Amino acid sequence: MQKLLFMSCMLGLSLRSFGADILPKDLSQGFNCKTEVQKELEKFFVGVSPDWERTADPSFDTQAFRTPTAKTGEWYELQITEKGIPKLFFYSSAKNFTSSWSQTCKVATTKMPGLGFFKLTGSDKSEIYGDADLAKLIAGKKTAMIYVWSPRMVYSVTEFPRMRALAEKRKMEFVPVLDPLVSIKEARAAMKKAGIDVKVKMTIAQREPSSVALYKRLNSVELYMRNGTLHFPTVFLTANGKVHSRRVIGVMTNDGMNESLDEMMGELK
């Protein structure tokens, strides 16, 4: 009997510990419907704990947290309001949904189309960099520098060749990804104005920077949810089948960038 009570007690502690791990650890406040939110999250994170990261709060009384899933390009965002109702968002390129709880803690879910950044027309010859491209890069366990840039942030243009050269010196694949809110025409004009002549290495020949291959526009939910478009340039590192959770924001010296990359590489071993 004592053994049974002990096991029941340990099971209860285990379940409570698991439940605690489901919610963000750095929540600074209690909130309405906490138990119900916890149960809903347990449906999506079976046997694993989400890796919540604090993100920009949508209002002064709301805390927002994001976590990736095991699949590239699928993310959850949890918003906790001090005296309001909590909300859970799911984002992907295929589908989105929002779950919110009523004052009586009943959950209601609204389904929406997938997250899109722009629409390609019949005459648009843009190349895109999407979640499938990123997943392929990760699956290949390639060491790569993903350089997210924009012609509207001049330093991300002028520093383009230096970052590319640094990546090549480190024998890393250099993956330029363009701001999704600008056109290729605008990006080409900015490169030309800056006097940058970067050739894209191909297996057969080299193509000039007018080639669309140099101007793949960001269409990746994964990079977007990792705040890849908040500032340009932003650098992500992939190695050993992973994307590092941190990113390098803005312009750094070669020494500073190498130091950051070395540290991140060590953490991805």
Side-chain angles (χ1 to χ4, degrees):
M1 184 67 176
Q2 288 181 335
K3 185 177 181 180
L4 181 60
L5 288 172
F6 175 77
M7 290 178 66
S8 299
C9 180
M10 292 303 294
L11 179 60
L13 287 171
S14 176
L15 289 173
R16 284 196 292 275
S17 296
F18 178 70
D21 289 339
I22 289 291
L23 295 171
K25 294 180 180 179
D26 53 347
L27 268 170
S28 63
Q29 60 194 30
F31 61 93
N32 297 330
C33 308
K34 183 175 181 179
T35 300
E36 288 75 14
V37 171
Q38 187 168 290
K39 287 180 179 179
E40 188 71 12
L41 286 171
E42 287 173 2
K43 296 177 183 178
F44 305 120
F45 297 95
V46 179
V48 296
S49 294
D51 186 18
W52 296 108
E53 178 184 355
R54 186 74 179 270
T55 189
D57 295 337
S59 63
F60 74 94
D61 61 344
T62 300
Q63 293 178 289
F65 303 86
R66 288 178 177 177
T67 182
T69 69
K71 185 176 180 180
T72 301
E74 293 188 353
W75 280 69
Y76 288 95
E77 181 172 313
L78 179 64
Q79 294 184 3
I80 302 299
T81 303
E82 187 175 352
K83 294 181 180 180
I85 58 174
K87 293 182 179 180
L88 177 67
F89 302 87
F90 173 79
Y91 296 109
S92 74
S93 60
K95 62 179 181 179
N96 292 349
F97 69 74
T98 302
S99 295
S100 58
W101 284 260
S102 67
Q103 294 298 327
T104 57
C105 295
K106 298 293 184 182
V107 65
T109 300
T110 303
K111 296 181 180 179
M112 295 167 287
L115 187 61
F117 301 91
F118 50 83
K119 292 183 178 180
L120 297 177
T121 63
S123 60
D124 193 340
K125 298 186 182 302
S126 299
E127 289 190 15
I128 63 173
Y129 193 84
D131 290 317
D133 300 295
L134 181 59
K136 184 178 179 180
L137 184 73
I138 296 170
K141 297 187 177 180
K142 292 184 178 180
T143 301
M145 175 193 292
I146 301 174
Y147 185 79
V148 188
W149 67 288
S150 174
R152 298 176 185 178
M153 290 282 192
V154 64
Y155 285 119
S156 71
V157 178
T158 58
E159 296 300 307
F160 189 109
R162 184 170 67 87
M163 289 297 100
R164 183 174 189 261
L166 187 147
E168 290 181 346
K169 188 174 181 179
R170 295 180 64 102
K171 300 189 184 328
M172 301 170 65
E173 184 170 342
F174 182 73
V175 182
V177 182
L178 179 62
D179 176 0
L181 298 182
V182 304
S183 67
I184 293 178
K185 181 179 180 180
E186 181 181 347
R188 286 175 178 164
M191 293 285 267
K192 184 177 180 180
K193 184 177 180 180
I196 296 173
D197 180 21
V198 181
K199 296 183 184 296
V200 179
K201 292 184 178 180
M202 307 293 289
T203 54
I204 301 174
Q206 290 186 331
R207 296 196 288 180
E208 297 301 325
S210 59
S211 165
V212 291
L214 192 61
Y215 301 96
K216 291 191 174 184
R217 297 167 71 194
L218 185 146
N219 201 36
S220 165
V221 175
E222 186 73 24
L223 295 180
Y224 174 77
M225 293 300 288
R226 290 179 182 270
N227 293 317
T229 60
L230 289 184
H231 184 84
F232 304 100
T234 292
V235 168
F236 293 96
L237 175 70
T238 70
N240 299 319
K242 301 175 185 176
V243 180
H244 202 287
S245 58
R246 295 201 310 275
R247 59 201 178 277
V248 180
I249 302 171
V251 176
M252 298 180 70
T253 64
N254 280 358
D255 288 344
M257 180 61 78
N258 278 318
E259 184 177 341
S260 293
L261 292 173
D262 286 341
E263 181 178 325
M264 293 162 77
M265 283 291 296
E267 293 169 353
L268 288 179
K269 287 183 177 179

